[in-house]
Amino acid sequence: MRMGVLDIGSNTGHLLVVDAFRGGPPVAAHSYKEPLRLAEHLDADNAVTEEGISRLVKYVIEARAEAEDKGCTTILAFATSAVRDAVNADDVIARVTESSGVDLQVLAGEDEARLTFLAVRRWFGWSAGRLGVFDIGGGSLEIGAGSDESPDVAQSMALGAGRLTREWLDAGRSQAELRLHVRATIADEAGAVLRGGSFDRAVATSKTFRSLARICGAAPSSEGRFVRRVLHKRDLSPLVEQLRTLPADGVLHLPGVSPDRAHQIQAGAIVAEATMDLFDLTELEICPWALREGVLLEHLDGL
């Protein structure tokens, strides 16, 4: 069947149209993205502004039309931290549903971690053993760990690259202050993961980790998703220092960095390095499947 998965993230709205059936891998047929930057459309009370809601409603209406044009009869729509953490989340969802007819569900942070873990498990299979899965989004960092299809531990922390850029770096606080905040936050939650033992495979997903891996020498997306891509800590640590002083136009010229995310790559690198340090990881393998695929796979499992 042809289905649409609509992901409303803190940075981007992304519709993925796939050909899917139970028992087989979903195959991407079409993609429609828009840099909504919802996390930047929050007022002092942490409510999504009228402009932010209008941009979101307009995109969802367009995404529904795009999905229908591609033959989708089902759209699985979900929102993550920017909507989840907004004080007017219920109003935002109601406006979207009323205007577009799309049933937009808000995912809890732990569900983000769980569903991303499911996607990674299906990608690598049982031979991967105990998995550690890390995902830096715009608003949050998700961590999942375990040996089954569902993680033993699923965590979500307010350490997204966009959030930290806005609340720390753009606010004039130093990289050293941000570094300490990130490491203290992860360290407070790491015990539950570490008690389960070491990982047989440590994996990273989504755009921030893919961009960091590409900067550090991983193959470009043009070489296909089956090419093995790895982010090495020995390459990441010098990059963190480089990004501290690199001007904005210099960041834009780094490989794998898109214009809509260049401003937050420094914060993302700080979170990635802290994650690798605190979990004693020398490398993270990049998985092409992430939350959208996890949402789709769980839906197919229930059919």
Side-chain angles (χ1 to χ4, degrees), residues 99-140:
S99 300
S100 69
V102 172
D103 182 18
L104 184 63
Q105 300 292 316
V106 177
L107 286 182
E110 291 74 15
D111 284 334
E112 280 193 61
R114 178 181 61 81
L115 291 166
T116 302
F117 184 93
L118 171 63
V120 173
R121 170 61 72 193
R122 293 284 177 90
W123 180 267
F124 286 112
W126 296 112
S127 63
R130 187 169 192 264
L131 282 171
V133 178
F134 303 89
D135 183 342
I136 302 170
S140 56

Side-chain angles (χ1 to χ4, degrees), residues 110-296:
E110 291 74 15
D111 284 334
E112 280 193 61
R114 178 181 61 81
L115 291 166
T116 302
F117 184 93
L118 171 63
V120 173
R121 170 61 72 193
R122 293 284 177 90
W123 180 267
F124 286 112
W126 296 112
S127 63
R130 187 169 192 264
L131 282 171
V133 178
F134 303 89
D135 183 342
I136 302 170
S140 56
L141 164 70
E142 272 71 48
I143 300 175
S147 300
D148 300 321
E149 283 215 329
S150 295
D152 300 328
V153 181
Q155 299 176 336
S156 181
M157 307 172 205
L159 296 178
R163 183 195 298 267
L164 297 179
T165 299
R166 184 177 68 256
E167 296 179 356
W168 291 76
L169 299 178
D170 289 351
R173 305 180 76 169
S174 70
Q175 188 194 67
E177 290 179 293
L178 175 57
R179 182 179 186 274
L180 177 58
H181 168 70
V182 168
R183 287 170 180 257
T185 302
I186 296 174
D188 283 346
E189 303 293 336
V193 178
L194 294 171
R195 279 194 292 274
S198 61
F199 307 127
D200 296 306
R201 200 167 203 151
V203 178
T205 72
S206 298
K207 183 64 174 179
T208 295
F209 272 119
R210 290 201 306 271
S211 295
L212 291 170
R214 179 73 185 99
I215 295 170
C216 292
S221 58
S222 60
E223 293 192 15
R225 61 179 181 172
F226 296 112
V227 174
R228 187 173 187 265
R229 295 174 175 88
V230 176
L231 175 62
H232 296 280
K233 185 173 175 294
R234 65 172 183 267
D235 299 321
L236 177 61
S237 293
L239 175 63
V240 173
E241 181 59 27
Q242 178 188 2
L243 290 171
R244 187 175 65 84
T245 57
L246 192 65
D249 58 347
V251 175
L252 277 170
H253 287 93
L254 294 172
V257 178
S258 58
D260 59 305
R261 293 179 184 256
H263 67 295
Q264 63 186 44
I265 198 68
Q266 180 185 359
I270 290 171
V271 176
E273 183 189 37
T275 298
M276 297 184 80
D277 271 349
L278 292 168
F279 288 96
D280 195 26
L281 303 172
T282 59
E283 66 177 43
L284 284 165
E285 188 166 358
I286 307 300
C287 179
W289 279 6
L291 178 58
R292 283 184 293 276
E293 287 78 11
V295 169
L296 175 62

